């Protein structure tokens, strides 16, 4: 704002090159119109509903534009919060926008449903992850614990001091494996299987030209 002048009334005068060349002196910073301006300060917008002459000249356009810009500056300085920053200088905080603007880009295409989502919708199965939350009450601990992840409820049976031995599964164990770690191996394998299915669904969606 080094090229602008602040008068005693608190207004801001525009630079000298913003005035029409035909005027001999600078107009007042106070702008009075028959129909007051309306503003959307969030978008730095000044709406002028006043009528204009039928045959506009270049000087008329400059004068109207100057008045709108002057009115917008006055409104900003009298209604918005002004703060000082040691490195960024003087800052003016704008309020939220009130004028809706059109989207810059078109809406993204709808995401294709996975096989499970299609099956769940057909059978009326609700998403438990969203409807029931991420926490579950543990009666043994007397507290709420996560369903999955670190100290998750789904890992309780991995730390049991007594493990049931299935002879068939025990015969299929690899060297060095025990039945005590079978529950964890089963959980890890289910997670990997779900990841493979998810990647397959995403690849199918990309092949069909849809975003995932």
């Amino acid at each position: 704002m080094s090229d602008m002048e602040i008068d005693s009334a608190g207004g801001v005068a525009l630079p000298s090159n913003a005035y029409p060349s035909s005027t001999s002196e600078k107009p007042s910073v106070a702008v009075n119109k028959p129909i007051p301006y309306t503003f959307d300060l969030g978008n730095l917008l000044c709406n002028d509903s006043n009528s204009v002459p039928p045959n506009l000249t270049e000087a008329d356009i400059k004068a109207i534009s100057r008045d709108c810009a002057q009115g917008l500056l006055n409104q900003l300085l009298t209604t918005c919060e002004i703060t000082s920053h040691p490195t960024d200088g003087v800052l003016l905080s704008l309020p939220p926008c009130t004028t809706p603007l059109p989207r810059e880009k078109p809406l993204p295409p709808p995401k294709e449903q996975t096989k499970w989502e299609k099956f769940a919708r057909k059978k009326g199965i609700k998403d438990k992850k969203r409807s029931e939350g991420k926490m579950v009450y543990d009666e043994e601990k007397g507290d709420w614990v996560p369903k999955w992840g670190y100290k998750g409820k789904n890992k309780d049976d991995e730390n049991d001091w007594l493990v049931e031995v299935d002879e068939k599964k025990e015969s299929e164990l690899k060297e060095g494996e025990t039945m005590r770690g079978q529950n964890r191996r089963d959980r890890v394998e289910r997670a990997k299987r779900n990841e493979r299915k998810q990647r397959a669904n995403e690849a199918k969606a990309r092949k069909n030209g849809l975003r995932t």
Side-chain angles (χ1 to χ4, degrees):
M1 297 177 60
S2 59
D3 295 336
M4 300 182 182
E5 300 175 3
I6 301 178
D7 71 348
S8 59
V12 176
L14 295 176
S16 57
N17 58 5
Y19 305 121
S21 58
S22 59
T23 57
S24 57
E25 57 183 27
K26 299 178 181 179
S28 171
V29 296
V31 181
N32 297 314
K33 294 290 183 177
I35 303 176
Y37 295 144
T38 58
F39 301 94
D40 178 4
L41 299 182
N43 285 319
L44 296 178
L45 174 64
C46 174
N47 296 307
D48 184 2
S49 301
N50 294 278
S51 59
V52 295
N55 298 318
L56 283 176
T57 63
E58 188 69 22
D60 293 331
I61 296 175
K62 287 185 177 181
I64 294 173
S65 302
R66 178 265 161 197
D67 288 345
C68 286
Q70 184 70 70
L72 179 60
L73 285 172
N74 294 346
Q75 189 74 8
L76 288 170
L77 293 174
T78 54
T79 60
C80 297
E81 179 183 2
I82 301 177
T83 57
S84 179
H85 193 273
T87 57
D88 297 333
V90 179
L91 303 177
L92 188 144
S93 301
L94 297 178
C97 302
T98 58
T99 304
L101 299 176
R103 289 179 58 91
E104 179 184 359
K105 298 179 180 179
L107 290 172
K111 181 180 178 180
E112 185 183 22
Q113 291 184 323
T114 62
K115 291 182 179 179
W116 164 249
E117 289 173 341
K118 293 178 180 178
F119 175 79
R121 183 178 180 182
K122 182 179 180 181
K123 298 295 183 179
I125 302 174
K126 296 183 179 180
D127 189 351
K128 292 184 179 181
K129 292 183 180 180
R130 297 182 180 180
S131 61
E132 298 181 3
K134 298 181 179 180
M135 306 293 288
V136 63
Y137 188 76
D138 191 329
E139 296 182 357
E140 295 181 1
K141 298 179 181 179
D143 195 7
W144 291 88
V145 297
K147 291 183 179 180
W148 311 277
Y150 179 65
K151 294 185 179 180
K153 182 69 174 175
N154 63 327
K155 299 179 182 177
D156 282 354
D157 55 356
E158 297 178 9
N159 300 318
D160 292 342
W161 66 274
L162 182 64
V163 179
E164 181 181 359
V165 176
D166 187 319
E167 295 182 359
K168 182 178 179 180
K169 289 185 177 180
E170 188 178 26
S171 63
E172 297 174 354
L173 294 178
K174 299 179 181 179
E175 184 178 355
E177 295 180 345
T178 63
M179 287 299 299
R180 182 170 294 278
Q182 186 61 35
N183 290 331
R184 182 181 185 278
R185 288 191 293 272
D186 291 342
R187 177 177 58 82
V188 173
E189 180 59 31
R190 287 195 300 270
K192 291 181 178 180
R193 184 164 58 249
N194 290 335
E195 290 179 359
R196 288 194 297 268
K197 290 182 179 179
Q198 182 178 359
R199 288 195 295 268
N201 290 334
E202 292 176 352
K204 181 181 178 182
R206 288 194 296 269
K207 184 178 180 180
N208 294 335
L210 297 176
R211 296 172 59 184
T212 59

